[in-house]
Amino acid sequence: MKVLILNASPRKTGKVSQILGAMEKRLKADGHETEFVEVNGLDFKCCIGCMKCREKGDCILPKDDAHRIGASLKACDAIVVGSPVYWGNISGKLKSLFDRQVALMMGESKMGIPIPLLKGKKALIVNACTTPFPLNILAGQSTKAYAAVKEILYYSGVKIKGKIMLAGTKNMQALPEKIISRAEKLAKKLEE
């Protein structure tokens, strides 16, 4: 199985990065091929909303890292998406990357009805925020960030196999062992 891991955390040792690292370690130990992408290190232009990708089936902007990630999205069997929670949403760079993938992820009928193009792929979603539990849920921090990724993947035909929404990271020194264990178990769910 080929797994694309998109890490939208700017902190390579942050909680999202650690969770994704635990998942990658488990996947590799089980013999799966992984591509770990540091989204913040990518060099690409933002979508300009020209909609020419709908006609061409690919973004018309000059070739950049968004095109490379698009090829990885098409080639993978599973996707793991991790982002810190910013204002109740995913990071801006991750959103911009997904904006550039529209033509590869979702088609459109003549009447404007979405046509999923990534059917058969599976996904896991990870987010982390400083807002403590249960305020992360009540204030919609973790839930809205999760919903943003879920919607993108849903309309692309990707089946969500699980999630981790880690709250209260502000004073968290180390990643709790139960979260590492959950990350490893979720990685195994991609095999189902």
Side-chain angles (χ1 to χ4, degrees), residues 3-4 9 26 42-43 81 102 118 125 127 139 167 175 184 190:
V3 183
L4 175 63
S9 174
R26 176 78 266 154
L42 297 176
D43 184 20
V81 181
V102 169
L118 298 181
I125 301 172
N127 71 41
L175 195 61
E184 292 170 347
L190 289 176

Side-chain angles (χ1 to χ4, degrees), residues 63-83:
K63 295 291 180 196
D64 58 17
D65 285 342
H67 289 92
R68 182 177 62 79
I69 298 306
S72 295
L73 269 170
K74 285 169 66 172
C76 74
D77 302 298
I79 308 157
V80 180
V81 181
S83 178

Side-chain angles (χ1 to χ4, degrees), residues 25-37:
K25 185 177 178 183
R26 176 78 266 154
L27 289 162
K28 283 184 171 183
D30 290 344
H32 302 295
E33 181 183 335
T34 64
E35 179 182 357
F36 196 101
V37 176

Side-chain angles (χ1 to χ4, degrees), residues 38-84:
E38 299 285 353
V39 173
N40 287 286
L42 297 176
D43 184 20
F44 63 90
K45 295 195 182 304
C46 291
C47 175
I48 59 172
C50 69
M51 301 307 283
K52 292 193 173 143
C53 63
R54 294 285 191 197
E55 302 162 25
K56 308 255 183 216
D58 196 12
C59 179
I60 62 149
L61 291 176
K63 295 291 180 196
D64 58 17
D65 285 342
H67 289 92
R68 182 177 62 79
I69 298 306
S72 295
L73 269 170
K74 285 169 66 172
C76 74
D77 302 298
I79 308 157
V80 180
V81 181
S83 178

